[in-house]
Amino acid sequence: MKTKIILDTDPGIDDVFAILFAQAHPDIELKAITTVYGNATIENATRNALYIKQKYQLQADVVTGASQPIIRPPVGPTVVVHGEGGLGDVKVPENIEGQADPRPAYQYIIDTIKAEPGEITLVAIGPLTNLALALQADPSIVDLVKEVVIMGGAFGENNHHGNVTPFAEANIHDDPHAADIVITASWPVVVIGLDVTEQSFFTREYLDQLRDDAGEVGQFIWDISRFYLRFYSEKVGLEACHVHDPSAIAYVINPELFTLREGPIRVVTDGVAEGMTIQKLDSRVYPHDEWMDKAPQKVGVAVNNIALLELYRRSIIDYATSLK
């Protein structure tokens, strides 16, 4: 049985890796792409999503979401990582067919969850503003969603702590107030953070082979990856890129690829540790405990990276073959 997902995303090079992964795999029904600021402005994020929908004839709705955080000042698009438009060296055509759904993303999320109770998995691979706005507008959705899978955060496992500050991951840092609202809500959350996403690598050789084996789709992934790999080479010192956003899709397809641990999570919303994610792992009752009354959530702490990389590769190759 297919898992129906709404993919909340800020496309974004690795977001496109994830969109194509979700579209490619037969166990996922990609119902919608809801956009959010982050890697790109909301205008560019939505244009990029509409471009991918047109290019690959996706059936998913595209829905425009939040343009800025709930409270904190905007950080601005991540141009150094994803380029001016969000897709690196690839320029989106001026004329794109189709339009976004007229509803704001948070309302689309509410409407879809209520129309199909217990069937929708929210997969959030950008800042969590749209999900927080949906919760604020209709708290009842916590009892109607199937699962919430988040690519974000870092908990210090495998020595991974942060990527935009020493202790914060980018998606959470972009809107820590939204993240705290979403992660402390009483719906089932799985956080796939840097602890596992930085354990998997798309190497230059891997992407070259995908280009050679996956037709036009592989070529497109290769094309948008050029800017991304330059960033990793020049700024991070890697001749590869981490498998961030596709890891969340991989979890939806095959949760057994990941080892999880459980406990309530809080997000630091200001100060020097703004955006830091902290999970309480003991059951001790403390005199002051901002975790005690929050729902326990799951965090990925280990991954079968070899199987994950093969799952991605095989999914994209099979998808490319189906388009011929």
Side-chain angles (χ1 to χ4, degrees):
M1 185 175 177
K2 291 190 175 186
T3 300
K4 299 176 182 179
I5 74 169
I6 295 175
L7 184 55
D8 194 70
T9 174
D10 55 337
I13 293 168
D14 62 325
D15 300 76
V16 174
F17 296 167
I19 291 168
L20 292 173
F21 193 13
Q23 176 66 18
H25 201 278
D27 290 349
I28 289 182
E29 179 183 341
L30 180 59
K31 291 190 67 70
I33 300 167
T34 52
T35 63
V36 67
Y37 67 92
N39 293 329
T41 64
I42 190 61
E43 294 80 12
N44 283 335
T46 303
R47 278 178 54 79
N48 293 345
L50 287 168
Y51 171 56
I52 298 303
K53 176 175 180 172
Q54 174 186 299
K55 184 175 179 64
Y56 293 105
Q57 297 297 299
L58 309 188
Q59 297 303 305
D61 295 329
V62 172
V63 193
T64 305
S67 62
Q68 62 184 20
I70 293 174
I71 295 174
R72 70 155 297 163
V75 174
T78 320
V79 174
V80 67
V81 183
H82 297 273
E84 288 291 339
L87 298 186
D89 299 321
V90 173
K91 305 301 180 186
V92 175
E94 288 296 323
N95 297 318
I96 300 174
E97 298 173 5
Q99 294 182 330
D101 188 281
R103 287 167 287 182
Y106 79 87
Q107 190 62 54
Y108 182 97
I109 289 168
I110 292 168
D111 293 347
T112 306
I113 290 171
K114 296 182 84 168
E116 300 186 70
E119 295 188 29
I120 303 297
T121 295
L122 297 177
V123 183
I125 56 176
L128 296 174
T129 314
N130 290 334
L131 274 64
L133 291 172
L135 282 170
Q136 291 178 331
D138 191 341
S140 73
I141 62 173
V142 297
D143 298 318
L144 303 175
V145 76
K146 180 180 179 181
E147 190 171 45
V148 180
V149 180
I150 295 167
M151 189 277 121
F155 297 85
E157 291 296 309
N158 305 309
N159 202 33
H160 301 305
H161 298 276
N163 61 0
V164 292
T165 82
F167 297 101
E169 179 275 331
N171 289 339
I172 306 300
H173 185 261
D174 270 356
D175 194 345
H177 298 88
D180 195 55
I181 290 167
V182 171
I183 292 174
T184 59
S186 59
W187 52 11
V189 173
V190 177
V191 180
I192 301 297
L194 302 186
D195 313 86
V196 287
T197 69
E198 291 191 345
Q199 294 295 104
S200 300
F201 300 89
F202 285 161
T203 63
R204 290 185 182 277
E205 293 76 18
Y206 178 95
L207 291 166
D208 287 350
Q209 195 66 53
L210 195 64
R211 174 200 58 197
D212 294 344
D213 294 344
E216 191 279 334
V217 185
Q219 182 68 56
F220 181 66
I221 289 171
W222 189 89
D223 288 343
I224 63 173
S225 73
R226 300 302 91 191
F227 190 97
Y228 206 44
L229 285 179
R230 284 201 301 274
F231 164 79
Y232 270 92
S233 177
E234 295 169 5
K235 304 297 185 182
V236 185
L238 289 174
E239 295 304 315
C241 58
H242 294 127
V243 187
H244 290 308
D245 294 343
S247 292
I249 303 299
Y251 173 81
V252 175
I253 296 167
N254 184 5
E256 293 184 0
L257 293 173
F258 297 86
T259 301
L260 307 178
R261 74 181 187 202
E262 191 170 67
I265 302 166
R266 296 305 307 266
V267 180
V268 179
T269 55
D270 55 27
V272 296
E274 182 178 40
M276 184 178 185
T277 47
I278 308 171
Q279 185 177 40
K280 182 184 177 185
L281 299 176
D282 63 48
S283 57
R284 177 178 169 183
V285 177
Y286 294 84
H288 307 283
D289 191 341
E290 297 295 332
W291 287 256
M292 186 169 60
D293 62 342
K294 304 303 180 185
Q297 308 292 14
K298 295 174 181 176
V299 168
V301 294
V303 59
N304 183 340
N305 62 303
I306 294 172
L308 186 154
L309 292 170
E310 181 56 27
L311 175 63
Y312 189 86
R313 171 180 158 76
R314 179 45 52 194
S315 299
I316 297 299
I317 291 172
D318 289 349
Y319 177 58
T321 300
S322 75
L323 296 177
K324 291 179 181 178

